[in-house]
Amino acid sequence: VLGSGGNGSIINNGTFSRTTGVGNAAIATAFINNGTTNIQSGTLQSTLSTSGSGAFVINTGSKYILSSGNHTLDGNTISGGGTLDLASGTLTLTGSAVNISSGTMFHQSGGTVTGAGGLLVNGEYSFTDGTHGGTGTTTISSTGNGSITGAFSKTISRMIVNDGSLVWSGATVTFSSGAGLTNNGTFDAQSVSGVLGSGGNGSIVNNGTFSRTTGTVNAQIATAFINNGTTNIQSGTLQST
């Protein structure tokens, strides 16, 4: 653990690397990344706060984990083929959009996303638990893909625009104030018996192809569904409530 006790800060204006180690190393004080953070091996976990607009290069199989505390990103580029994981705490997006590069993943396994800044996913978006909120927009680009999965119910209170491919295969997704989903690409409602848009807030606007390709029972849409494209039910039942 670097910075145990949570006092002081680490300011990176150059290159901060993890070049070896297969386990988890932790930064337990404020970490301000104005340069490049390079995770070449294992996992680096920020347990108090990460901020700054510097780049994160995370190699395939490696992770940078945001846990506990309050983290702020502004215009950062996340690349390298690994994973930026929000596990707990709060991630505030401000200013310019955070860019998840091709081949790289943003995984929200817990915690809360908030803020007016954008999240642009050119790689992979994975949402398994927590609250994905704020007044900004999360955009899955035409080269990106995403999944909303896992057994835990989760909440969206943010605009999500899908220009690529997005699959919902998990439990119920609640839409609270500020929520919305615009599909300009392909959306696949694979959930076995979940509810999309529980709470009735916001809307789902389909300008692309909204499908249900698998599932033998009833999945529900519990918010306004505006179909300007094609809705394709290939299996089971999709119910608009």
Side-chain angles (χ1 to χ4, degrees), residues 2-19:
L2 181 62
S4 179
N7 297 295
S9 63
I10 298 170
I11 301 174
N12 174 45
N13 297 318
T15 301
F16 188 102
S17 298
R18 178 168 170 78
T19 61

Side-chain angles (χ1 to χ4, degrees), residues 90-229:
T90 300
L91 170 59
T92 301
L93 303 174
T94 64
S96 301
V98 173
N99 189 327
I100 308 298
S101 298
S102 177
T104 304
M105 175 186 285
F106 173 77
H107 181 205
Q108 185 175 356
S109 59
T112 299
V113 171
T114 189
L119 178 66
L120 176 61
V121 181
N122 294 304
E124 186 172 354
Y125 166 82
S126 174
F127 183 26
T128 58
D129 195 12
T131 297
H132 198 72
T135 58
T137 299
T138 293
T139 302
I140 300 170
S141 77
S142 60
T143 63
N145 63 85
S147 61
I148 302 173
T149 187
F152 298 105
S153 295
K154 49 199 70 69
T155 299
I156 293 174
S157 56
R158 179 182 184 87
M159 290 298 301
I160 296 179
V161 175
N162 175 45
D163 293 325
S165 173
L166 180 59
V167 175
W168 166 51
S169 61
T172 289
V173 180
T174 297
F175 279 18
S176 64
S177 178
L181 170 64
T182 298
N183 176 51
N184 300 316
T186 61
F187 184 96
D188 193 353
Q190 297 181 2
S191 179
V192 173
S193 58
V195 179
L196 182 62
S198 176
N201 296 291
S203 63
I204 298 170
V205 179
N206 176 46
N207 298 317
T209 301
F210 191 103
S211 298
R212 181 164 172 78
T213 62
T214 187
T216 57
V217 293
N218 185 28
Q220 296 180 39
I221 299 174
T223 189
F225 181 63
I226 304 165
N227 182 38
N228 298 320

Side-chain angles (χ1 to χ4, degrees), residues 15-18 33 35-41 54-60 62-64 77-83 101 104:
T15 301
F16 188 102
S17 298
R18 178 168 170 78
N33 180 38
T36 299
T37 296
N38 190 353
I39 315 300
Q40 299 177 32
S41 180
F56 290 84
V57 181
I58 309 166
N59 281 14
T60 301
S62 296
K63 292 183 179 182
Y64 188 84
T77 296
I78 318 297
S79 64
T83 301
S101 298
T104 304

